[in-house]
Amino acid sequence: MLLHEDYVVKEREKSEKIVRLNVDPEKIGYDVQQVHRVLLEDDERFVALESLGGPPSQRIALVTVRDGQVVDGLPSREVAALRSKVIEAAGLASDPAADSKTVEQKSSVRSEQAAPMRRVRFAKTDLILDGERHEATIKHILSNAASRVFIHSTFIRADVVEKFLPELSEAVRRGVRVDMLWGQSEDLEEVATSRRAIEALRANPQIADLGDALKIHPFSTGSHAKILIADSRKGGGFLAVVGSCNWLTSPYKSYEASVVLRDPQIVADVVGVLANITHRHSGIWLDVTNELMRLATQIAKLPSPKGPNATASVVIGAHHNRFVLEARDSARSRIFVTSHRLGPVSESAIIAPLATAASDGQVKGSVFFGRNTGAVKYQTRKRIIAEAASDGVIVEVVESPRLHAKILAWDSDSMVISSLNWLSADPMSYVEPAEVGIFLCGTGLADAVVDNFTSACEAAEVTESR
């Protein structure tokens, strides 16, 4: 597949009919695992990507299309989606009424491939629910890591990182390396606060003593995901934790929800997503991107435990909406949603699908949130709650415990635990992988989550009444 400089293409445009299939890297990016699959044969192994030392440059592939068929210019490997888009663009270009701008807009490319469904072994004890268990989990992971820990949080607070200095220091003494990454925030001040926190941490002598073993990345990844990845001294394998907890800023007092994943296939999928996150915002492959890509490949080759009892899949960006529709169409008794904030999108994104499911009187729709966004005032909140009730959906504000969990659960077995604020963020507007969650379906898993949340609310009411 031959790539050309832009000036070469412009020169050929003077004598040839060329249609540009434009791709916005801010909206599209590319999947580093797909790059791996395209470039390497089965017997080849990814080691690293060497930088040329210069700034990133853009090259253009020229593809020849005649009579609706690609003649030349695409790789020998099958790239069906790209081939289809190229043929579509060529067809639009043959329309005399279509100008180049129209062709470019209609021919823009967006990845719509969902993550694979995995058969996994999952225990209910690997559901992490409430703030204290999340704090215990990150301490346990740091204390038991064998060599590597990756932490991705929305933003960073110096005092929270410093709280884990005993575990971090002990881990570094054992030879563990820790990468801390941070990403998207809706509040620009919080982004600035994260950068100030990093400066404060670098000035901390105890942090400085950890040297290169602790790397706090200075850039924002642009992702809202909350992910922990680490290996273990006990089993030797890697695990991944995905959910709602901002590991590097949380006071660990809120009701949170995360899942611990241990099956190699789904863990490899999460590692691959984190590899994408590290390069997606800038488009530059960093050393940590190389390492995560290599790690994902290694983990994926490990055998899965026998006796799978659940189905799991990574849920990325706009694919969250797929599971809302799945719940709407397949639920038989209950759809349950928790979210940090209630926003303007709540009616179309969640309440309307739940109302559709509840219209036959068989499905109970319940939605819980902790606070409003700034765009939703008190009267608007009252209206949303009242109109939802008239459509058979209960919408309630939860003041205690402080609610930060992002859960979609239906019937007894199926759920998505995520970083996505279901009631205030439109998943269709986010660039993958801005939001990351996990779909799980296994006997009684949704029941376990809903029961735990109900018990936490009841316990909070008893405490407040004393």
Side-chain angles (χ1 to χ4, degrees):
M1 185 174 181
L2 186 61
L3 300 179
H4 305 269
E5 295 282 1
D6 186 54
Y7 75 87
V8 175
V9 177
K10 287 180 178 178
E11 187 64 29
R12 289 182 60 172
E13 281 178 317
K14 295 177 181 178
S15 58
E16 302 176 43
K17 189 171 185 178
I18 294 176
V19 180
R20 290 180 180 254
L21 185 60
N22 282 347
V23 177
D24 184 351
E26 288 296 320
K27 295 181 179 179
I28 309 305
Y30 53 88
D31 185 330
V32 295
Q33 290 181 294
Q34 288 180 348
V35 172
H36 168 266
R37 288 190 291 268
V38 169
L39 294 181
L40 301 184
E41 302 291 351
D42 291 340
D43 60 346
E44 294 177 323
R45 181 170 62 91
F46 176 82
V47 177
L49 181 73
E50 292 187 9
S51 171
L52 294 177
S57 58
Q58 186 180 52
R59 301 288 193 274
I60 300 172
L62 286 176
V63 181
T64 304
V65 178
R66 293 195 186 98
D67 300 324
Q69 298 295 322
V70 173
V71 176
D72 180 56
L74 287 182
S76 57
R77 294 178 176 86
E78 184 57 36
V79 282
L82 178 59
R83 183 180 299 271
S84 175
K85 287 293 182 182
V86 168
I87 293 172
E88 177 189 356
L92 290 169
S94 65
D95 181 359
D99 58 22
S100 60
K101 183 177 181 181
T102 303
V103 171
E104 290 173 9
Q105 289 176 342
K106 289 184 178 179
S107 302
S108 60
V109 178
R110 180 185 180 91
S111 172
E112 296 181 354
Q113 183 177 0
M117 289 286 175
R118 306 292 191 186
R119 290 293 295 162
V120 302
R121 187 152 190 85
F122 185 83
K124 291 178 184 177
T125 52
D126 281 333
L127 295 170
I128 312 174
L129 305 169
D130 80 30
E132 291 181 0
R133 279 207 63 199
H134 279 79
E135 183 173 4
T137 296
I138 187 171
K139 287 183 176 181
H140 177 79
I141 285 174
L142 290 171
S143 298
N144 288 275
S147 63
R148 208 64 180 93
V149 177
F150 302 90
I151 306 171
H152 189 282
S153 182
T154 303
F155 35 88
I156 295 178
R157 274 178 46 185
D159 60 325
V160 173
V161 175
E162 289 165 352
K163 180 168 68 173
F164 298 125
L165 265 171
E167 291 80 15
L168 285 166
S169 299
E170 180 57 33
V172 169
R173 277 194 287 272
R174 295 196 310 273
V176 177
R177 293 186 297 121
V178 180
D179 276 58
M180 293 183 176
L181 301 117
W182 58 284
Q184 177 199 61
S185 173
E186 297 170 359
D187 188 335
L188 294 178
E189 175 56 29
E190 287 176 341
V191 173
T193 300
S194 290
R195 293 196 172 104
R196 289 194 294 269
I198 293 170
E199 292 175 4
L201 288 168
R202 287 176 172 171
N204 184 322
Q206 291 178 282
I207 296 289
D209 286 345
L210 302 180
D212 294 337
L214 173 62
K215 185 169 185 178
I216 305 175
H217 292 259
F219 61 89
S220 168
T221 63
S223 175
H224 192 238
K226 300 94 163 61
I227 298 173
L228 275 178
I229 295 169
D231 57 1
S232 172
R233 287 187 290 170
K234 293 181 179 179
F238 274 81
L239 59 81
V241 187
V242 179
S244 68
C245 183
N246 286 309
W247 301 101
L248 302 178
T249 192
S250 174
Y252 296 96
K253 302 297 183 184
S254 301
Y255 188 88
E256 306 273 8
S258 298
V259 294
V260 181
L261 303 166
R262 305 179 190 275
D263 188 285
Q265 298 303 311
I266 192 69
V267 171
D269 290 341
V270 175
V271 175
V273 167
L274 187 57
N276 281 330
I277 286 173
T278 61
H279 94 285
R280 195 75 176 240
H281 195 60
S282 65
I284 299 172
W285 285 43
L286 307 170
D287 289 342
V288 68
T289 311
N290 282 333
E291 182 180 359
L292 286 164
M293 185 175 173
R294 184 170 61 250
L295 185 60
T297 304
Q298 293 170 352
I299 295 173
K301 294 179 179 179
L302 298 175
S304 296
K306 294 181 179 179
N309 62 351
T311 301
S313 179
V314 181
V315 185
I316 307 170
H319 296 292
H320 282 79
N321 192 55
R322 165 191 169 190
F323 290 94
V324 174
L325 301 181
E326 172 70 17
R328 180 197 67 185
D329 297 339
S330 66
R332 295 295 176 263
S333 60
R334 171 184 66 196
I335 303 178
F336 168 90
V337 178
T338 69
S339 183
H340 181 205
R341 298 178 179 181
L342 179 75
V345 303
S346 60
E347 295 175 275
S348 59
I350 294 295
I351 296 174
L354 267 63
T356 300
S359 61
D360 64 359
Q362 301 300 311
V363 176
K364 178 183 177 182
S366 302
V367 177
F368 302 90
F369 67 96
R371 54 183 288 196
N372 309 344
T373 63
V376 174
K377 306 304 180 184
Y378 177 72
Q379 290 301 323
T380 303
R381 185 176 87 177
K382 281 185 63 177
R383 177 189 61 77
I384 291 173
I385 292 174
E387 291 181 357
S390 68
D391 290 333
V393 179
I394 298 171
V395 179
E396 294 184 9
V397 60
V398 177
E399 296 181 353
S400 184
R402 183 177 180 272
L403 182 55
H404 195 252
K406 301 96 165 64
I407 304 167
L408 167 68
W410 61 102
D411 295 338
S412 294
D413 303 335
S414 300
M415 65 181 183
V416 176
I417 289 180
S418 180
S419 66
L420 176 74
N421 281 306
W422 299 99
L423 300 177
S424 62
D426 179 3
M428 303 304 291
S429 68
Y430 280 108
V431 180
E432 301 171 6
E435 303 285 357
V436 179
I438 297 293
F439 164 74
L440 278 166
C441 182
T443 303
L445 292 181
D447 282 343
V449 170
V450 175
D451 290 348
N452 184 280
F453 176 77
T454 302
S455 297
C457 291
E458 290 173 350
E461 288 179 4
V462 171
T463 300
E464 289 182 352
S465 65
R466 290 177 180 173

